[in-house]
Amino acid sequence: MQKKGCSEEELFSFLSSARNKDRTYKKVLSSMCTIPHPVAVRAHNMFIETNLGDPGLFLGTASIEALLVERLGGLLHHKDAGGYATTGGTESNIQALRIAREMGGSKKPNVVVPESVHFSFEKACDILSIELRSVPSDDKFRMDEEKIEDYIDKDTVCLVGVAGTTEYGVVDPISHLSDLASDKDIFLHVDAAFGGLVLPFLKGSPDFDFKLPGVSSLSVDPHKMGMSTIPAGCLLVRDASVFKSTEVDTPYLTVKKECTLCGTRPGGSVAGAFAVLEYLGEDGMTEVVERCMKNNRKLILGMKELGYPVAADPSVNVASFICDSTPEGWQVSRTRAGHMRTVCMPHVTEAVIEEFLTAAGDM
Ligand code: 0PR
């Protein structure tokens, strides 16, 4: 640290030179984040100094968190769901596994996940000393329904399904997982970090949420398709009493117990997340999601015409292509199997897709 501070002008000129090295979202087709909606930014700034880690000091902010949980719970077929705002899918997944492990009571716990699961589960299992059991995918890149049972035993404390996989945008056989979870009395967590704010706005989406009786918890991230500021995730549970399993005493706070992972928690992005849902409503969200899906279809069709067929048929605005090259100047990503992977987030407009396809035609 320098002994004497610098001038504000010097500071901000330094900061803007760093910021100018960032990519804009313009040619980015690899991200599940996007430019936040203006109402999210406004709400975030309004709540900038709030800390949900000590909610007794910020009763208004805490009431917005409760409303966010209520809105998301309602959307996912359980208006009375318990929940709290997290920093994103990783934290929600860690906490869900922590709850499942506590509830399961095994000395050698294992969790059964699809092979395509997000890498946050690897982190969660490492932290929590849970064995990760991966069920291979079927030819549609979904968890192979036929094989799931082979991986379950008496020490299985949790089953996981993904609604909108990171790499292929498909939905695992969650209804089957729900039946298994009910039959065997195992905690079922659905990672809907991405799909949770896509699938409810589309006609004909497969069931994946609390509508299925075996689903115990869900991750859903407003900082992805919810267009909020970062960080904004949410962990929802069917029965709020499960949060007791992760509670610790917090004697010197305004609340005496805390079940969250983080202590100090931002209220700004939580207000941002709520603001977008409230401002757009179901109609506005449907419009955004339908536009992204239309652009995703346009991209899939255009790539097919160029000789690059899709690797999987997605249920959300993610696409994967059998294509080894990358158009110059564009940011796409690669799946573990090497397919080109794109996400049609709200910043990826129809004009952007057209420009991308022209560049792909020149590869
Ligand atoms: N679950 C699923 C299904 C996800 O897709 C992701 C993130 C997570 C959990 C973890 O969420 P957090 O990153 O919020 O903790 N999926 C993207 C990924 O890892 C996130 C991402 C976002 C990647 C923006 C790149 C990027 O530019 O690929």
Side-chain angles (χ1 to χ4, degrees):
M1 198 166 166
Q2 49 195 4
K3 184 153 167 44
K4 259 195 172 140
C6 62
S7 70
E8 195 170 328
E9 205 188 326
E10 213 181 322
L11 169 67
F12 279 90
S13 125
F14 175 75
L15 290 177
S16 62
S17 68
R19 183 70 178 103
N20 287 335
K21 289 184 195 142
D22 292 345
R23 284 187 80 127
T24 64
Y25 273 108
K26 177 122 193 0
K27 291 188 168 184
V28 174
L29 271 69
S30 60
S31 179
M32 284 188 158
C33 290
T34 193
I35 303 162
H37 192 285
V39 301
V41 178
R42 187 170 167 195
H44 187 123
N45 286 333
M46 185 183 263
F47 287 77
I48 196 90
E49 71 209 40
T50 63
N51 169 22
L52 285 165
D54 203 0
L57 300 184
F58 302 100
L59 292 175
T61 314
S63 73
I64 299 292
E65 181 182 27
L67 279 178
L68 175 67
V69 167
E70 199 179 304
R71 296 290 189 271
L72 291 172
L75 186 68
L76 302 174
H77 294 101
H78 187 28
K79 188 168 71 42
D80 300 322
Y84 55 83
T86 64
T87 51
T90 301
E91 185 188 337
S92 304
N93 292 338
I94 292 172
Q95 286 293 87
L97 282 203
R98 201 174 150 213
I99 293 168
R101 188 191 64 173
E102 293 311 302
M103 311 273 300
S106 160
K107 286 204 168 66
K108 285 191 303 179
N110 68 69
V111 50
V112 174
V113 305
E115 180 184 61
S116 63
V117 85
H118 186 258
F119 50 75
S120 49
F121 284 91
E122 248 178 83
K123 301 182 190 179
C125 286
D126 183 31
I127 295 168
L128 297 165
S129 300
I130 299 178
E131 181 199 342
L132 187 72
R133 295 188 173 177
S134 302
V135 177
S137 302
D138 61 16
D139 57 357
K140 296 190 166 101
F141 295 92
R142 300 156 75 237
M143 192 179 201
D144 192 336
E145 205 170 300
E146 307 283 297
K147 300 196 174 127
I148 302 172
E149 264 197 275
D150 301 345
Y151 289 78
I152 301 175
D153 65 17
K154 65 173 185 18
D155 291 309
T156 303
V157 294
C158 190
L159 303 178
V160 174
V162 186
T165 59
T166 313
E167 294 182 319
Y168 294 96
V170 298
V171 178
D172 283 321
I174 306 207
S175 157
H176 180 69
L177 282 167
S178 165
D179 291 345
L180 282 174
S182 300
D183 281 356
K184 298 177 186 289
D185 195 22
I186 302 175
F187 195 94
L188 170 59
H189 175 64
V190 176
D191 181 355
F194 190 78
L197 281 169
V198 177
L199 299 164
F201 303 110
L202 296 174
K203 288 192 194 83
S205 290
D207 289 343
F208 71 99
D209 59 19
F210 291 117
K211 198 175 184 183
L212 299 170
V215 172
S216 317
S217 65
L218 277 153
S219 301
V220 51
D221 283 359
H223 70 202
K224 295 188 167 75
M225 280 299 286
M227 296 163 285
S228 72
T229 50
I230 298 170
C234 190
L235 172 64
L236 295 172
V237 293
R238 181 180 296 278
D239 173 3
S241 72
V242 300
F243 286 136
K244 285 205 180 322
S245 63
T246 60
E247 261 177 10
V248 295
D249 292 332
T250 52
Y252 44 82
L253 298 187
T254 50
V255 283
K256 298 301 156 214
K257 283 187 190 299
E258 185 178 277
C259 64
T260 53
L261 181 61
C262 294
T264 301
R265 297 192 297 128
S269 45
V270 171
F274 172 74
V276 178
L277 298 183
E278 209 65 358
Y279 179 74
L280 292 180
E282 266 184 48
D283 289 351
M285 280 300 294
T286 302
E287 218 178 292
V288 171
V289 169
E290 277 180 350
R291 201 182 318 129
C292 291
M293 289 302 285
K294 190 169 159 229
N295 289 335
N296 205 46
R297 285 193 296 272
K298 187 182 173 89
L299 177 60
I300 289 173
L301 195 68
M303 288 292 278
K304 189 176 168 205
E305 280 166 5
L306 292 171
Y308 306 117
V310 281
D313 181 24
S315 294
V316 296
N317 39 326
V318 172
S320 53
F321 301 98
I322 302 171
C323 174
D324 291 335
S325 3
T326 300
E328 179 84 31
W330 289 83
Q331 185 73 37
V332 295
S333 55
R334 294 273 155 199
T335 67
R336 284 168 272 195
H339 296 121
M340 177 198 277
R341 165 191 173 264
T342 57
V343 192
C344 281
M345 293 303 288
H347 64 267
V348 182
T349 59
E350 195 176 350
V352 171
I353 299 291
E354 280 161 10
E355 222 186 301
F356 178 84
L357 287 171
T358 306
D362 293 340
M363 286 189 304

